[in-house]
Amino acid sequence: MTRYFLIPILALLLVACDSKSSSNSSTTQSSGGVKKKLVVGFSQVGAESGWRTANTQSIQSEAAKRGIELVFSDAQGLPENQMKALRTFLSRKVDFIAFSPKVKTGWTPVLREIKAAGIPVILTDRGIDSPEDLYATFIGSDFVEEGRRAANWLVTNTDGKATIAELQGSVGADPAIDRKKGFEEVISVHPNMKIIKSQSGDFTRSGGKQVMEAFLKSPEASQITALYAHNDDMALGAIQAIEEAGRNPGKDLLIVSIDGVRGAFEAMAQGKLNCTVECNPLLGPQLYDTVEAISAGKSVPKRILTQEGVFTQQQAAAELPKRQY
Ligand code: GYE
């Protein structure tokens, strides 16, 4: 436990301390010595989930609060739109480029162009497989650990015996790959825990519902005792499908998902979802702390982790009024 929390706390402190001197000055020195507003280009994945909506809101409101000029671009789920947005930011000569990459691969050529132009790149939320020297830092969660946390909850609450259906996130996305990896790592040492169905629901509610409907129509449907969804939205869609199929979500079919959005807490309070592993979308403050730190010439850690918890039905009612997203 200590290890997981110590690193993020240290990372946060580093950035927090570094950015203090510049926290009221979201400006950069122009060649004439006149201060001008910092301009940040941000390419967002889309609006696929409650998590994403909260993330966008945090990125936008925090920029406004700090007097940073944000050039925001919504890729509507298409990596090629993100690629275009990055090139637009490049030709506009923004001071910083930040983005949440839909998929892990394919970014190296455009990042090389951006590096050649001397614009610092900050990855928020999702990682990529490009060389590390092509970006300043990656701010976001440890998705492998989230997968482990989901699996640990299931192991503990089923005595290590479950026949699992899995709803994966978007194909090729960092959180889909790593949440699967962490979950499988934990269940691999439990011979009576098996994933018998696994498919992508693209991190959307409608995707989760559709794929779960297909799972429940398959010949193995009656064997499924648990659902692991890579995000809450897919779990919420699946809950509808499970109810429509005449089964009891949260009771005869246990459900664990990831994000910790308000809808998940409501479903837990109603007894329909069993556990949500938190993934914090409020990355705006960390993003601009980092922008301001780099702008002030400070060095920042290559990886900035966010701190998160795990919530169950027993905590849902008390937690609900405190949720910010
Ligand atoms: O879990 C999901 C969203 O990248 C962590 O993307 C993010 C994921 C989040 O669509 O709900």
Side-chain angles (χ1 to χ4, degrees):
M1 256 335 207
T2 328
R3 186 166 61 92
Y4 298 129
F5 288 117
L6 203 57
I7 300 168
I9 288 166
L10 283 176
L12 281 174
L13 280 179
L14 245 171
V15 176
C17 295
D18 274 1
S19 62
K20 237 177 215 137
S21 57
S22 61
S23 61
N24 291 324
S25 61
S26 295
T27 51
T28 182
Q29 204 80 28
S30 79
S31 49
V34 186
K35 295 217 163 174
K36 69 172 185 63
K37 254 185 171 187
L38 275 174
V39 182
V40 177
F42 186 91
S43 166
Q44 181 61 288
V45 176
E48 73 282 4
S49 64
W51 190 100
R52 189 64 54 199
T53 308
N55 178 247
T56 293
Q57 220 271 329
S58 173
I59 301 288
Q60 291 177 329
S61 62
E62 192 66 23
K65 202 158 114 192
R66 296 186 190 213
I68 287 174
E69 186 181 333
L70 177 68
V71 188
F72 185 87
S73 172
D74 178 342
Q76 301 184 331
L78 298 174
E80 53 271 35
N81 286 348
Q82 292 202 285
M83 204 74 80
K84 270 189 227 152
L86 298 190
R87 290 222 157 80
T88 306
F89 298 154
L90 177 61
S91 60
R92 265 187 80 158
K93 297 193 172 63
V94 297
D95 299 310
F96 285 84
I97 293 178
F99 74 122
S100 170
K102 162 104 186 194
V103 291
K104 269 188 103 159
T105 54
W107 302 105
T108 303
V110 68
L111 292 185
R112 284 206 201 287
E113 288 173 44
I114 294 170
K115 188 178 181 186
I119 302 174
V121 169
I122 298 170
L123 299 176
T124 73
D125 162 31
R126 298 181 180 181
I128 55 176
D129 68 358
S130 298
E132 273 190 13
D133 68 302
L134 294 180
Y135 55 90
T137 183
F138 166 27
I139 304 169
S141 308
D142 180 342
F143 300 131
V144 177
E145 180 54 23
E146 290 173 350
R148 289 190 196 114
R149 288 178 182 164
N152 279 326
W153 181 86
L154 203 57
V155 169
T156 309
N157 288 276
T158 60
D159 286 329
K161 198 170 184 309
T163 308
I164 306 156
E166 178 186 33
L167 286 170
Q168 295 182 37
S170 304
V171 175
D174 188 27
I177 296 165
D178 282 356
R179 285 173 183 170
K180 183 166 184 54
K181 194 165 153 193
F183 188 88
E184 284 178 344
E185 176 196 301
V186 169
I187 67 162
S188 67
V189 297
H190 296 275
N192 293 322
M193 303 221 36
K194 235 179 235 119
I195 298 175
I196 60 158
K197 288 272 164 200
S198 184
Q199 203 181 308
S200 170
D202 206 17
F203 279 133
T204 65
R205 199 177 281 225
S206 59
K209 182 168 189 279
Q210 227 180 328
V211 176
M212 193 66 203
E213 274 166 4
F215 286 169
L216 292 171
K217 282 188 189 134
S218 71
E220 303 94 333
S222 62
Q223 296 170 35
I224 301 170
T225 60
L227 172 69
Y228 166 43
H230 289 191
N231 81 341
D232 291 338
D233 280 71
M234 291 191 295
L236 295 172
I239 287 172
Q240 266 182 281
I242 295 165
E243 286 180 324
E244 283 168 20
R247 294 190 61 180
N248 264 329
K251 297 187 181 68
D252 61 281
L253 206 155
L254 300 186
I255 309 175
V256 55
S257 58
I258 299 177
D259 273 357
V261 297
R262 184 174 301 280
F265 279 83
E266 285 162 358
M268 286 198 294
Q270 293 166 1
K272 297 180 179 183
L273 178 76
N274 300 88
C275 174
T276 187
V277 173
E278 189 180 36
C279 178
N280 188 0
L282 308 178
L283 302 180
Q286 281 173 295
L287 168 61
Y288 303 115
D289 279 351
T290 308
V291 161
E292 288 170 350
I294 296 173
S295 186
K298 317 269 168 156
S299 67
V300 295
K302 202 83 209 178
R303 182 74 170 99
I304 300 171
L305 278 170
T306 33
Q307 212 182 325
E308 290 143 351
V310 176
F311 297 94
T312 61
Q313 285 181 352
Q314 290 69 36
Q315 298 154 285
E319 276 297 319
L320 203 42
K322 298 186 229 158
R323 298 306 290 171
Q324 287 182 68
Y325 52 92

